[in-house]
Amino acid sequence: MEPILTRYARDPEQKKIDVAVSHGAYEAAKKALAMKPEEVIETVKSSGLRGRGGAGFPTGNKWSFIPAAAPVRYLAVNADESEPGTFKDRLLIEGDPHLLLEGIIIASYAIKCRTAFIYIRGEFTDGANILREAIREAYAKGILGEKVLGTSYALDVLVARGAGAYICGEETGLLESLEGHRGQPRVKPPFPAIRGLFGQPTIVNNVETLCCVPPILSHGAEWFKKIGPEKSPGPKLFCISGRVRKPGIYELPMGIPAEQLVLEYGGGVPEGRKIKGIIPGGSSAAVLGPKQFGTPLDFDSLGKIGNMLGSAGVIVLDDTVCAVDALTNIMRFYAHESCGQCTPCREGTAWSVKILTRLERGEGVPRDLENIANLTRMISGRALCPLADGAAMPLTSFFREFKDEFVAHLEQKRCPMRGAAVPGEQRPLPLESGTHA
Amino acid sequence: MAFQFSQAGLDDLNGYLKHCPKKEAGLLYALHLVQQQAGYVPDEAVDVVGKLLEVSRSHIEGVLTFYTMYFRKPMGRNVVTVCSTISCALNGALDTVGEFEKQLEIETGETTPDGQFSLLKVECLGACDKAPVVMVNDQKFDGVKREKVKELIHVCRKRAGANGSARA
């Protein structure tokens, strides 16, 4: 497949507006601005575009939820990519900022909003600087501001930096953060499209989702629908990392089987090793064991087996990796990033780390395995936002796929992988974690 | 000495606030500016920000403790953050942390006595294909395996020596 989203993103000159324009940037926005906002929404709806932030919700439908009478509306761009294993938005933000800005213009026009905020994760300092420069250039050329592309439509785009909190990638946590608060998610409903930023209707869209919009306007909804599976159409950026030879970002139609992606694009695992597990959608997704390696990577195929495509951050584990150690690392992330609002999430993630750490150290007690299973039930579906479910998925799936290893840790009173693995790469990370000074 | 925003910083913040119906919305923005200017968020800056944005001290403290990127005490000229999340860990991030600790003769979370380096671990830097990833202040370094640590420290020392500070 010819790259669509990343066609120019690896060209270092593409961030300059003149180069982007010479490659056709803002032509789709001109086309959209000549249409009625409702027609733009209809086009995106009929393209079948589903949000690339993790949930896979139909984008055009989301846009149409804004109440018709609302005097003020906002677009909040979710550029807070921070799911372990996910690094696709960084490429789009840093490599082709004008594609994103064009998507923002089209989306803002469609929902009739005058101000769009790009909420970018604090650690992406390069990305924030590149976006600010791209916005400055766009204002100077009359592409943003009072008369967008020479029309009567006015739009301001601002960059807001996060400050190191994974939970701000959750849409209502993001809105709280934009309002100057701790990024603790809100109770839903009301959904942001009804009551969002500063109490006004707000659409929250992921970077990759918005980058899909200009090509849809340029080539049409039918063209987009023909890429990939019928119910998950369009190009998708797959991130491959972990124990693979060619980690990176690969733009493909959805639906490629997991193992094929790892072998064909990720170059497989290091020589002499075997694939042990594939996490298909960032660390919140369930790990696929060998029997599931053929699962097509799209929203519905993964949904059918109780898994999810999420952010398409594919993390590969080879046979040198201790399942208990890997899971401890993942759960430590969720324990650190839980916002603390909901007890099952705050306590459950922390307890899982304690139990897993003692298992890994050979200090496990017989009830630990039962407690892990109980904890999963106590966390899942019992919190305000999906972070808790995201933490429960790896917990359940690692325990299911590699139960023998958990039992072996308990029975042998040590990590059975230790010494057998690649030297120096199997030590558990220290318990304390975080950057609070 | 009392904290004072630079004029450029104030202009920047006011430009942002123009688009927000509530001043409070500029809080993260303002705290980033403070840290850029002072290297951390000193108590006196909390008061300045509180007055400027009309928010209580307790609210600001709540925000400061929630987000991991704000520092409440002076840090080294080079703040080294090592990603220790799954993809980096699978590629030797712990060895990288250990080597930094050995070379700098400090534990994670500490600052060297000469004030040159602070060492921190961080959750996911979003560059998992370049694991293990390290950030020094605002600059990202890819593929920092154990054997590259010494050289990276050397580069930072040299840079700090030339500029007086490695901070942007």
Side-chain angles (χ1 to χ4, degrees):
Chain A
M1 186 189 101
E2 281 285 307
I4 298 161
L5 305 177
T6 56
R7 187 167 174 202
Y8 301 111
R10 291 183 172 93
D11 173 355
E13 296 291 299
Q14 177 70 9
K15 44 179 104 44
K16 296 178 187 159
I17 198 162
D18 290 336
V19 176
V21 166
S22 76
H23 289 148
Y26 299 109
E27 289 302 320
K30 281 181 197 160
K31 204 168 165 183
L33 289 171
M35 296 159 72
K36 286 185 183 153
E38 295 75 19
E39 289 170 352
V40 177
I41 294 182
E42 275 313 308
T43 306
V44 173
K45 257 189 195 172
S46 53
S47 75
L49 172 64
R50 295 171 70 170
R52 265 52 172 161
F57 192 81
T59 305
N61 290 18
K62 197 190 234 187
W63 291 0
S64 65
F65 292 156
I66 295 263
V72 180
R73 307 103 187 278
Y74 292 106
L75 175 72
V77 181
N78 190 342
D80 192 62
E81 174 173 82
S82 45
E83 172 97 358
T86 313
F87 41 95
K88 63 190 177 61
D89 291 345
R90 185 199 274 265
L91 175 67
L92 295 170
I93 293 164
E94 294 178 4
D96 201 350
H98 292 287
L99 178 66
L100 174 60
L101 284 183
E102 187 171 14
I104 291 171
I105 292 172
I106 299 169
S108 301
Y109 175 73
I111 63 163
K112 301 177 189 167
C113 102
R114 306 283 298 260
T115 312
F117 288 89
I118 306 175
Y119 185 89
I120 184 166
R121 63 179 300 211
E123 290 88 344
F124 284 7
T125 40
D126 285 346
N129 291 336
I130 289 167
L131 278 175
R132 285 196 179 115
E133 177 58 18
I135 290 169
R136 192 194 62 73
E137 284 190 321
Y139 271 101
K141 294 243 177 217
I143 290 168
L144 290 174
E146 283 303 307
K147 293 186 183 305
V148 173
L149 291 158
T151 65
S152 59
Y153 175 59
L155 176 68
D156 287 310
V157 179
L158 297 133
V159 176
R161 284 179 68 201
Y166 167 70
I167 193 60
C168 294
E170 192 279 335
E171 59 178 1
T172 59
L174 184 152
L175 298 176
E176 283 292 318
S177 188
L178 269 176
E179 290 186 14
H181 305 154
R182 296 160 77 97
Q184 293 182 313
R186 298 173 181 172
V187 180
K188 288 193 279 192
F191 289 91
I194 306 299
R195 191 178 160 78
L197 188 61
F198 307 121
Q200 306 295 343
T202 303
I203 295 298
V204 185
N205 279 152
N206 173 257
V207 167
E208 189 187 350
T209 311
L210 288 166
C211 287
C212 285
V213 172
I216 290 172
L217 266 290
S218 295
H219 304 288
E222 286 307 312
W223 164 85
F224 191 82
K225 262 163 79 173
K226 283 185 190 139
I227 304 167
E230 194 188 338
K231 289 185 176 165
S232 300
K236 181 80 197 80
L237 301 187
F238 288 93
C239 315
I240 310 180
S241 69
R243 302 283 301 160
V244 281
R245 286 193 273 194
K246 285 163 54 193
I249 298 166
Y250 300 91
E251 183 177 352
L252 301 163
M254 283 183 258
I256 182 169
E259 190 174 24
Q260 187 187 338
L261 179 82
V262 173
L263 296 175
E264 209 171 294
Y265 294 90
V269 289
E271 207 177 336
R273 315 285 8 160
K274 278 188 198 149
I275 306 177
K276 174 172 183 161
I278 302 172
I279 304 174
S283 62
S284 311
V287 63
L288 299 169
K291 284 181 192 154
Q292 298 170 319
F293 285 172
T295 313
L297 298 179
D298 61 66
F299 295 119
D300 296 326
S301 302
L302 283 159
K304 268 183 212 152
I305 59 164
N307 205 330
M308 61 175 188
L309 181 67
S311 52
V314 179
I315 306 167
V316 183
L317 311 175
D318 69 7
D319 56 357
T320 66
V321 177
C322 162
V324 177
D325 195 18
L327 179 61
T328 312
N329 182 290
I330 291 171
M331 294 312 294
R332 189 173 294 127
F333 172 81
Y334 289 102
H336 182 257
E337 299 296 336
S338 171
C339 84
Q341 244 188 144
C342 309
T343 310
C345 173
R346 182 187 66 237
E347 298 296 318
T349 51
W351 273 104
S352 70
V353 173
K354 282 181 190 164
I355 296 170
L356 291 167
T357 304
R358 83 178 169 232
L359 266 179
E360 177 63 15
R361 286 180 180 165
E363 297 161 2
V365 293
R367 278 204 60 178
D368 281 347
L369 302 187
E370 197 185 317
N371 281 338
I372 290 175
N374 282 338
L375 264 177
T376 312
R377 280 196 293 275
M378 299 301 276
I379 298 171
S380 192
R382 289 172 198 268
L384 270 180
C385 85
L387 187 139
D389 299 335
M393 270 226 192
L395 202 54
T396 320
S397 58
F398 269 80
F399 198 52
R400 183 184 60 227
E401 297 299 328
F402 309 113
K403 192 167 181 185
D404 291 354
E405 278 187 54
F406 288 77
V407 174
H409 277 74
L410 191 63
E411 287 176 354
Q412 296 177 26
K413 295 267 172 221
R414 68 183 191 93
C415 171
M417 302 288 290
R418 207 147 307 222
V422 178
E425 296 198 358
Q426 291 302 318
R427 287 186 295 153
L429 291 165
L431 263 183
E432 67 288 338
S433 141
T435 56
H436 275 294
Chain B
M1 209 176 78
F3 177 85
Q4 222 182 339
F5 276 109
S6 68
Q7 193 54 49
L10 264 186
D11 292 346
D12 197 12
L13 179 61
N14 286 329
Y16 182 79
L17 287 175
K18 258 197 330 202
H19 300 276
C20 305
K22 291 178 191 165
K23 281 185 170 183
E24 193 179 81
L27 185 52
L28 271 75
Y29 207 104
L31 294 172
H32 275 304
L33 288 171
V34 168
Q35 187 151 301
Q36 216 174 319
Q37 225 178 291
Y40 70 112
V41 183
D43 284 346
E44 57 269 27
V46 173
D47 292 331
V48 172
V49 170
K51 272 193 195 128
L52 190 70
L53 301 180
E54 295 163 16
V55 278
S56 69
R57 191 182 177 100
S58 63
H59 180 86
I60 300 178
E61 293 289 356
V63 166
L64 282 168
T65 50
F66 187 81
Y67 297 96
T68 54
M69 285 180 74
Y70 298 126
F71 306 133
R72 289 292 272 130
K73 63 180 187 190
M75 302 297 283
R77 287 173 195 270
N78 296 285
V79 179
V80 179
T81 46
V82 186
C83 179
S84 58
T85 316
I86 186 75
S87 298
C88 282
L90 290 173
N91 286 286
L94 182 68
D95 289 338
T96 303
V97 175
E99 190 64 20
F100 269 112
E101 289 183 334
K102 192 175 133 196
Q103 295 286 335
L104 296 172
E105 297 178 0
I106 54 171
E107 298 279 312
T108 303
E110 292 179 349
T111 299
T112 53
D114 64 359
Q116 282 291 334
F117 290 92
S118 295
L119 179 63
L120 301 169
K121 281 207 280 108
V122 68
E123 297 294 344
C124 199
L125 285 171
C128 320
D129 53 339
K130 309 280 196 285
V133 183
V134 171
M135 267 185 95
V136 181
N137 300 333
D138 284 347
Q139 200 179 349
K140 181 169 73 69
F141 294 89
D142 298 336
V144 185
K145 292 260 186 190
R146 172 198 270 166
E147 51 275 18
K148 282 195 178 175
V149 167
K150 205 171 175 179
E151 187 194 327
L152 182 55
I153 292 173
H154 180 69
V155 168
C156 293
R157 274 196 205 284
K158 224 169 132 184
R159 194 173 52 176
N163 303 333
S165 168
R167 239 172 242 297

